[in-house]
Amino acid sequence: MTITLANPVKYLKGVGPQRAAALEERGLATVGDLLSYLPFRYEDRIRFTPIAEIIPGQVHTVLAEVTGGGGGTVRFARSRGPVFHVTVRDASGMLHARFFHGAYLQGRLKEGQRLVLHGKAEVDAYRPGRIEMVNPQIELVGAGEQASGDSTEVGRIVPVYEAIGSISSRMLRRIIYGVLTQFDGSVPDALPEEIRQRYRFPTRREALLYAHFPPKDESLELLNGFRSPAQLRLIFEEFFYYQLALALRRRNERREAGMAMRVREEKIRAALKRILPFKPTAAQKRVLGEIAGDLAQPHPMHRLLEGDVGSGKTIVALEAAAIVIENGCQVALMAPTEILAAQHYLSARRIFAPAGYGVELIVSGRGRKRAEREATLGRIESGEAQFVVGTHALIEDPVKFRRLGLVIVDEQHRFGVLQRKRLIEKGASPHVLVMTATPIPRTLALTLYGDLDLSVIDEMPPGRTPVETRWTADAQLPGVWEFLRREIGQGRQAFVIYPVIEESKQELKAATAEYERLASAVFPNLRVGLLHGRLKNEEKDAVMEQFRRGELHILVATTVVEVGVDVPNATVMVIEHAGRFGLAQLHQLRGRIGRGQEKSYCILVAPKTITGEARERLEAMVATSNGFEIAERDLKQRGPGEFFGTRQHGDAAFSFAQPLRDHELLELARREAFALAENPQRADDVAARLASLNPAWQKRYQLASVG
Ligand code: ADP
Ligand code: MG
C-alpha cells in the first residue's frame, strides 16, 4: 500500500486515535501536514563520542548502555526533589547522568538498556574524578537497532522534532520514517520553475525528504544553522507565497478606485501655515510629501507612518487630514485609549479652529449624555463633522459617515486587524494612514506590513535633550521624592507609575493606595492627581485636563498613560516595580517625558538584585533611549508575535521560516514575488495553483492584511 500526501494521519502505523487527536490539534491532519512538520535540530549519530574521549564543558552525543546494579535510582535532594541517577557505559568508559524531576525514568532505564545521551558533559560536581551529564536528552535504542541504513535512531544524522503533546521526538521520527518508506513520492510544487532553477533549489519533494532524513554526508553545521539547500528552499517558499499574497493585494488595491485628492500646493500650504503651531522638521516635511503624493492618486493610500515616541506624528496626521477636508471629505482618527482620543480631540480642535473645521469626539456611550451622543452621530452622518476622533467606539454600527476620505489609526499595533478593517469599511475605499511609535526593523516591517508603504520620521523636533534614565532601589525612594520636590519647585510636573490599580495578593504597590499615601504623607503641600483605567470618562478627562493645564504637580497613574499622552512640561517619571513592565512598555511610558525643552529624568525603581530578563530590560532602558535599539532588543527577548501584540499576524504565516533569522531569504523572496506580480497573468496562475495544491496555505496567506 502506498501513502499519499492526502492520507489522514489517523490511519498511519504508530498513530492511534489519541495521537491522531494530538496531531490534528496541532493542525497536522494529513500526511502532507505531517511532512511539513520539520525538525528543529539534527544530531550526528554516525559518530558517537566514545565516553573516554569526552571533553568536559562540551556537548556530546554518546551511545551507551545502563550499567549493572538494577539500573538507575531515584534519590531525593533536599532542595530539588526527586533526582534520578544512572550510570552508563560504552566500550571505553563510564558516564554518570542526573535528571531532576526524573522519577518517571525509574523502571525505564533498566540494566542493559541501550540509549543515546545528548548534552553537555561536566566534571561531576560531587566526584571530581567522574564525568557527568545533567539533564541530557536521552533516547532509548531498541536491542535490534543497529547502525544499519534502516535505523531511525543510530548510524545516521537524526532529526529532532519538537514533541507534540505526549508524542515524543522519537515517536514522530518513527511515524514520519514509516510514512516515507511507503510514500508514493508525489509532491506537487507551486514554486515557479524558473525561480527554483535560478537559486538551484531542490524540488519540494526532494527538499522534504532531505529535511527529514538528511544523507550521511550533509554538514551538521549547515543543517543546524537552517542553511542546507533543502531548508533554504522550504524557508524561501513560505516567504515567497506570503509576499506574493501581499503583492497581489497591493495590485488589487491599486486597481480599486479611490478618491484622488486635489493637492493644490499654494492653497494647502497657506492653510497649513495658518494652523501649524511650529516649524515642521525636515523629516515631517518629507513624510507629509509622501502622504500628499499618495492622496493625489486615484487609488487608496495604504501607508504606515513610523516614528519614535515624541517624533511628532500627530501633526503630520493633522496636516494630511487638512488636505482631505479641503477636498470636501471627512477624516476619522482612531486611538487606542480614551485619554489619547480626548487629547487628540483637544489638539485637533485647537489647531483646526482657525480653519473652521467641525471636530467631534466619539468614545463609548458609557457615562455620556444620550442626547449629546445622538447629536454628534447626526453631525457625522450629515458631514458637518469633518474631523472625527474616537476610540474603537468609532467602529460601532451607529457611527455613519457621509463621505469618509481618510482613516488614520494611531498606535495601530494596539488594534486588531478586524477593528481596522471595520473602520475602513465605513467609507468607500478611503485612504488609510496607520501610525506606530514602535520602531520596526525594516525586515520585520516587510514581513508584517509588507502591503503598506512605509514612511519614517527619523528626526526629533529641535531642542530635545535625551531623557536621563536611572535605576534605583526601593530604599532610595525618600531621595527620589526629594528630587521630585525640587523639580516641581522649578515649575515642572511629574508622573509616578504603578503596575496595578488596587492592592492584590501579589504584594505590588497599587496606584490607589500609593496615591493616598503620596498625597497625604509625602507631598502634603503639592497637588497630586490619580489616573487609571477604571475611572469614569468624565473623571479621566478632568484629571488629564488638570494635569495638562499644570494644575496638578504630580500624576499618579497606571499604564493608561502609556501611549500618546503629551504634556511637555512633565519632566520626571518615576516607575515603581519597574521590573514588572515589558521593554516596549517602559519605552512608551518614558516617551511621556522629554517632550519639551527642559531636561527630563526617568527613575526606574526596582531591587538591584533583580535577575534574568527583567534585569536586561532595565539595563537596556538605562543604556539607550533610542527606540530602534529598544525594539531590536525587545524583539530578541520576546519574539515578534508578542512584540506586536497581534500574535496571529506575522507568526501564523510561517511554520518554519523565521523573519529575523532568515531576513536575507525574506528580502529575496519579496523581490521575486513583487517581480512576479508585475506579470498579472503569471502571478494569478501561481496563486491559483498554490490555492488548489494547498488549501491550508491559501487560508494562511490571506491572513496578511492591511496593517
Ligand atoms: P508622537 O510621534 O509620539 O505622536 P506627538 O505628535 O505627540 O509625538 O509630538 C510630540 C510633541 O512634539 C508634541 O508636544 C508636539 O506638539 C511637539 N512637536 C511636534 N512636531 C514639532 C516640531 N516640528 N517642532 C516642535 N515641536 C514639535
Ligand atoms: Mg502619538
Side-chain angles (χ1 to χ4, degrees), residues 278-281 284 307-315 461-462 464 564 566 568 595:
F278 36 64
K279 231 169 107 262
T281 61
Q284 285 171 320
D308 205 349
V309 276
S311 62
K313 294 181 292 293
T314 313
I315 206 72
R464 300 271 172 89
D566 183 38
R595 298 187 146 240

Side-chain angles (χ1 to χ4, degrees), residues 310 313-314 340 344 410-411 435 437 564 592 595:
K313 294 181 292 293
T314 313
L340 187 50
H344 281 324
D410 193 18
E411 309 289 348
M435 309 200 287
R592 298 313 113 221
R595 298 187 146 240

Side-chain angles (χ1 to χ4, degrees), residues 386-597:
Q386 290 158 297
F387 188 81
V388 185
V389 185
T391 56
H392 54 273
L394 273 175
I395 64 180
E396 284 162 15
D397 283 335
V399 183
K400 295 193 180 70
F401 290 86
R402 197 174 76 88
R403 192 154 191 259
L404 184 57
L406 169 65
V407 164
I408 304 169
V409 181
D410 193 18
E411 309 289 348
Q412 66 85 32
H413 56 284
R414 304 282 293 247
F415 292 99
V417 177
L418 287 179
Q419 287 175 310
R420 294 187 291 254
K421 201 160 158 246
R422 281 181 61 191
L423 182 56
I424 292 165
E425 283 168 355
K426 300 237 167 204
S429 304
H431 295 284
V432 179
L433 178 67
V434 300
M435 309 200 287
T436 183
T438 307
I440 308 165
R442 188 180 153 69
T443 315
L444 221 58
L446 290 182
T447 319
L448 295 166
Y449 311 114
D451 53 346
L452 301 178
D453 293 300
L454 186 62
S455 286
V456 182
I457 302 185
D458 49 7
E459 176 186 8
M460 286 289 178
R464 300 271 172 89
T465 40
V467 176
E468 186 177 322
T469 302
R470 290 184 215 157
W471 171 3
T472 304
D474 252 322
Q476 310 297 320
L477 269 176
V480 171
W481 301 142
E482 197 44 51
F483 176 71
L484 240 68
R485 226 173 260 128
R486 274 206 305 277
E487 280 286 303
I488 290 165
Q490 317 244 327
R492 307 282 100 74
Q493 291 163 278
F495 293 98
V496 183
I497 308 293
Y498 293 94
V500 290
I501 300 176
E502 266 153 30
E503 278 174 340
S504 63
K505 289 187 212 80
Q506 299 173 52
E507 295 181 6
L508 294 175
K509 289 192 199 167
T512 44
E514 290 303 305
Y515 159 73
E516 302 283 347
R517 208 175 61 79
L518 290 176
S520 59
V522 184
F523 302 110
N525 303 321
L526 297 179
R527 281 192 301 278
V528 185
L530 172 67
L531 187 66
H532 60 69
R534 267 190 242 143
L535 295 179
K536 291 211 187 75
N537 285 331
E538 288 87 346
E539 293 170 320
K540 275 192 227 164
D541 291 351
V543 172
M544 209 47 233
E545 193 48 31
Q546 279 179 303
F547 191 62
R548 200 172 284 127
R549 281 210 291 261
E551 293 164 13
L552 291 174
H553 299 114
I554 298 175
L555 187 61
V556 174
T558 58
T559 56
V560 288
V561 296
E562 176 187 332
V563 288
V565 168
D566 183 38
V567 180
N569 190 50
T571 58
V572 186
M573 173 172 283
V574 179
I575 306 178
E576 291 222 46
H577 293 294
R580 286 281 168 158
F581 298 90
L583 188 51
Q585 204 172 24
L586 288 170
H587 181 64
Q588 285 279 342
L589 282 169
R590 182 172 59 181
R592 298 313 113 221
I593 56 173
R595 298 187 146 240
Q597 305 284 333

